[in-house]
Amino acid sequence: MTALAMSNVLLWITNIALVVTVLALARQIGMLNERVTPVGALTMDHGPKAGEAAPVFNLPRLDGGEIAVGTATGRTQLLFFLSPTCPVCKKLLPILRSLSQHERTTVDVVLASDGEFDEHSRFYQREKLAPLPYVLSTDLGMAFRISKLPYAVVIGPAGLISAKGLVNNREQIESLLIAQEMGVASLQDYRTRAQKR
Amino acid sequence: MDYTVSFFMLGEVARLTVAAIFALAAFHAMREWTVFGGIVEHYRIVPPGLAWIFARILPPLQWVAAAALVLPTASRAGAVLGLCLMTLFTVAIIVNLARGRMSIDCGCGGASGQKLSMGLALRNLVVMVGLIMAWAAPPQGAVDGVTACGVICASLAVIALYFAANQLMTNFQALYAVSSRSPS
């Protein structure tokens, strides 16, 4: 009986250890997949680089009128690419709203997407996005080679792209603006410069 | 072999496992309310105006179900509540699968990146079988140490297995997305 109980205990220990190992392995594969995906996106990232002139567009705003994107306006433009079907984009909307309020003297926030006018118009009203400009343009997304959302591009006062990247939270949006202030294109750029010094 | 005891043990394992699943799902959903609200809205089962109300109600209900399942006296009520929730989730998944909207986030663990699939509906059915077992298992008074130890060990193993299976399903979707994108 003691031997039977002992073997039972040992079996449970090994069983749980094995299942936990399987879980850990599956988790690791999942994390590898997450890392592989942005690499795939990066190789497709042939869009205009930081420091280059931004492509210029004159686009109709969802709430009427027109807006120039990428021109040298003397102000910083934060182009935010989003979609109504992206939950993380939605999480960032209040952050963008407060950012456009706090930085209204220097930064213009422009929301960009593509698709049907009606669907976006409803989304614009429902999320109370006024007075932020919202443009619909497939060409704009193509010009910047946007492959993943939410994506943000910071265009400097002279019409040059100063920073861009996939953003998932407030810190990452702010990092793009800070990168512009510091004159670095990205975290990678900052690190390479720091290493050279 | 005493079948009453075996059935009781199976019910206990099911009860504890499903309680852990509900608690973790609720924890993830409540950690990112806004994202979860967006996910509920994308299911397009309730009008957009009501989606955020559902997003506020569902996670606490999952907590209640989890807590009730853990308490031996309330476990049957917890199982019934759990079954109602799982039916709701599964119907929402099947409706969207029928609409061909496979690319929306299932919201199983907040924004887990797991998309809708038939496997997900099947997984929910397995959880529902677990809930029925938890509901139907005969109540037992005090149990001996060996039974209690067996129940706890088996529950831990099944909980880990469930999450491993879930992760493998997500991995499969990610792998499929990668391979379908590469030129081959």
Side-chain angles (χ1 to χ4, degrees):
Chain A
M1 184 58 208
T2 327
L4 196 64
M6 197 57 215
S7 87
N8 205 334
V9 168
L10 283 175
L11 277 172
W12 271 125
I13 292 171
T14 46
N15 185 2
I16 291 176
L18 276 172
V19 178
V20 170
T21 312
V22 171
L23 177 61
L25 282 172
R27 192 67 210 122
Q28 281 176 6
I29 296 173
M31 279 158 79
L32 276 176
N33 276 329
E34 277 171 26
R35 285 188 198 165
V36 164
T37 324
V39 169
L42 276 180
T43 53
M44 289 188 277
D45 190 14
H46 297 311
K49 292 185 182 58
E52 292 180 9
V56 177
F57 285 90
N58 262 314
L59 298 167
R61 294 170 56 140
L62 215 57
D63 53 348
E66 274 207 340
I67 185 163
V69 174
T71 49
T73 50
R75 288 168 63 81
T76 300
Q77 213 167 36
L78 176 79
L79 211 51
F80 183 76
F81 290 90
L82 76 165
S83 152
T85 56
C86 142
V88 183
C89 301
K90 236 177 135 176
K91 183 183 87 172
L92 294 179
L93 288 176
I95 296 165
L96 284 166
R97 226 180 277 129
S98 80
L99 188 126
S100 76
Q101 277 291 315
H102 283 114
E103 309 272 336
R104 63 175 171 275
T105 47
T106 49
V107 181
D108 291 325
V109 176
V110 179
L111 308 175
S113 188
D114 66 340
E116 279 179 41
F117 178 85
D118 289 346
E119 188 194 348
H120 288 270
S121 189
R122 275 199 303 274
F123 176 69
Y124 189 75
Q125 277 159 16
R126 198 168 63 233
E127 295 297 322
K128 300 186 181 67
L129 293 174
L132 292 181
Y134 192 114
V135 294
L136 288 182
S137 163
T138 313
D139 292 340
L140 183 67
M142 298 273 277
F144 283 100
R145 306 285 170 121
I146 307 302
S147 52
K148 280 200 106 177
L149 294 173
Y151 199 95
V153 178
V154 176
I155 302 169
L160 303 176
I161 295 172
S162 50
K164 58 174 195 166
L166 198 63
V167 286
N168 283 317
N169 50 43
R170 176 192 284 271
E171 289 73 23
Q172 287 173 355
I173 295 180
E174 282 172 354
S175 82
L176 289 179
L177 292 170
I178 292 167
Q180 190 213 7
E181 280 167 24
M182 292 175 65
V184 288
S186 61
L187 182 65
Q188 287 91 325
D189 182 34
Y190 178 78
R191 285 185 61 183
T192 358
R193 285 189 196 193
Q195 276 164 5
K196 275 184 191 159
R197 243 178 264 145
Chain B
M1 184 158 157
D2 186 350
Y3 285 104
T4 330
V5 172
S6 336
F7 194 39
F8 160 76
M9 281 178 81
L10 280 178
E12 290 293 277
V13 171
R15 178 166 83 87
L16 294 177
T17 308
V18 182
I21 292 169
F22 273 142
L24 277 162
F27 171 73
H28 282 299
M30 287 165 103
R31 212 171 45 168
E32 290 211 76
W33 279 114
T34 335
V35 174
F36 188 67
I39 289 166
V40 173
E41 198 183 315
H42 292 153
Y43 269 93
R44 292 201 191 150
I45 298 292
V46 289
L50 289 176
W52 71 271
I53 301 177
F54 270 76
R56 283 282 188 281
I57 292 173
L58 291 175
L61 278 179
Q62 284 179 312
W63 272 123
V64 172
L69 278 166
V70 171
L71 298 170
T73 43
S75 70
R76 287 196 119 185
V80 173
L81 175 61
L83 265 176
C84 294
L85 287 171
M86 287 313 286
T87 312
L88 182 71
F89 298 153
T90 314
V91 168
I93 290 171
I94 292 174
V95 166
N96 275 289
L97 284 176
R99 288 173 180 165
R101 303 178 70 230
M102 320 274 272
S103 63
I104 61 173
D105 197 303
C106 82
C108 308
S112 60
Q114 193 173 3
K115 309 272 182 262
L116 299 191
S117 64
M118 255 344 257
L120 205 62
L122 278 177
R123 184 205 70 180
N124 280 5
L125 284 181
V126 172
V127 175
M128 285 161 86
V129 169
L131 280 164
I132 294 171
M133 272 162 50
W135 181 81
Q140 204 98 342
V143 290
D144 56 62
V146 180
T147 315
C149 184
V151 165
I152 290 167
C153 287
S155 305
L156 286 176
V158 179
I159 290 167
L161 256 184
Y162 171 87
F163 286 105
N166 226 2
Q167 182 67 52
L168 285 173
M169 270 163 62
T170 316
N171 292 356
F172 177 76
Q173 288 171 344
L175 270 181
Y176 182 73
V178 170
S179 60
S180 64
R181 209 170 41 210
S182 62
S184 56

